Amino acid sequence: MIRVSVADPSSAGVTIRFVPETGSTNDDMKQLVAEGAAEGLWLRAGRQTAGRGRMGRAWESESGNLHASTLVRLRPGDPSAPTLACVAAVAVHAALDAFVGSGGLRIKWPNDIMAGHAKLSGMLMERVGDAIIIGIGVNILNAPPLPDRMTISLRDLGAAGCDAAAVLEAIARHFTALLDQWRTYGTEPIFRAWRERAHPAGTVLGVQLPDGNRSEGRFETLDRDGALILRLADGTSHAIHAGDVFLL
Ligand code: BTN
């Protein structure tokens, strides 16, 4: 059995750029992609004035928190691109869990990092041609409120002495190692690591779908593209490819 290793990530090939302020690091990374940026590049901003979240929402980006983006250049034979959401989730979870040290953080589909019912980190993936841009926000010193869920910061969790630069370094090292494993061994070991760190099978989840409908069911598994498989009350299984998931 192949298991993904997140204990000894390599830092080979990682470049981290810093800007004190920008609109959105995802938008800047789109520009860098167009200019031919290579995989391994990360961009961190001290604060964002037009940070974006999933489903068209704004992402409040105060200084003291982590706002960063990277890119993956898709290659022939790579696993399906949406499964990179799981790669990113495992990388961020591994990094943050080490800072918190409690083992108490959980991934919520597809790649929110939660402490109980409170959100600690969120990610925004966007595609530009053959490149996938992965934007990561982590509440380090502040937990800006969200309209529909509780939020929490690393500071609230007692993770003393960590700052955005150190957190990003850890995330980038984990991500680099996991990306390599994704390419070499495929999605199964990544999914296994994701499941070990996520809400357990059987957890009751509510899903706000992009078309405005709401669904509710028990978490069953992930499909081969990383979609969420929900078991509904009538016994049928549904694949959710996009939406907001809530722990009920
Ligand atoms: C979400 O949970 O809604 C996703 C939040 C993603 C926020 C990050 S911060 C860095 C990058 N730049 C952005 O504008 N958004 C992402």
Side-chain angles (χ1 to χ4, degrees):
M1 189 215 295
I2 297 157
R3 297 187 67 84
V4 294
S5 159
V6 289
D8 183 24
S10 148
S11 61
V14 171
T15 303
I16 299 177
R17 284 191 205 167
F18 173 73
V19 288
E21 180 179 304
T22 190
S24 155
T25 56
N26 265 35
D27 293 343
D28 293 348
M29 192 53 79
K30 281 183 192 164
Q31 182 64 35
L32 292 165
V33 161
E35 292 165 6
E39 225 175 76
L41 176 65
W42 290 78
L43 177 68
R44 178 169 79 84
R47 63 186 295 266
Q48 300 182 122
T49 54
R52 295 186 289 109
R54 293 177 67 237
M55 318 276 284
R57 285 184 293 252
W59 183 261
E60 204 179 313
S61 305
E62 300 178 28
S63 45
N65 287 347
L66 173 64
H67 326 100
S69 302
T70 192
L71 76 147
V72 173
R73 295 263 181 205
L74 296 173
R75 304 177 188 167
D78 274 350
S80 86
T83 63
L84 283 169
C86 294
V87 175
V90 173
V92 176
H93 181 278
L96 300 188
D97 213 43
F99 280 105
V100 173
S102 67
L105 302 182
R106 290 274 138 219
I107 299 171
K108 180 177 67 60
W109 187 90
N111 48 20
D112 282 354
I113 308 298
M114 310 291 291
H117 281 58
K119 180 161 166 163
L120 176 63
S121 165
M123 295 169 226
L124 176 65
M125 275 179 48
E126 299 179 288
R127 184 167 186 157
V128 186
D130 73 341
I132 303 293
I133 292 165
I134 300 168
I136 299 169
V138 180
N139 296 337
I140 296 183
L141 296 184
N142 316 295
L146 291 172
D148 54 354
R149 63 193 80 204
M150 289 187 289
T151 56
I152 198 163
S153 68
L154 283 179
R155 177 159 65 179
D156 295 333
L157 291 166
C162 59
D163 61 22
V167 171
L168 180 56
E169 244 173 66
I171 289 172
R173 278 189 260 115
H174 284 297
F175 185 79
T176 305
L178 288 162
L179 184 65
D180 187 50
Q181 288 163 348
W182 177 79
R183 287 209 163 104
T184 307
Y185 302 114
T187 52
E188 234 357 275
I190 297 288
F191 286 169
R192 199 175 308 119
W194 188 95
R195 280 193 292 260
E196 284 169 7
R197 294 159 183 273
H199 34 66
T203 300
V204 180
L205 300 175
V207 186
Q208 190 67 46
L209 298 163
D211 65 6
N213 286 323
R214 210 182 146 84
S215 192
E216 197 176 305
R218 288 183 182 276
F219 170 59
E220 200 166 80
T221 187
L222 299 175
D223 79 0
R224 59 194 300 275
D225 288 325
L228 174 72
I229 306 297
L230 264 194
R231 170 74 63 141
L232 306 192
D234 64 6
T236 59
S237 291
H238 276 207
I240 310 284
H241 295 272
D244 268 335
V245 171
F246 295 87
L247 299 167
L248 298 178

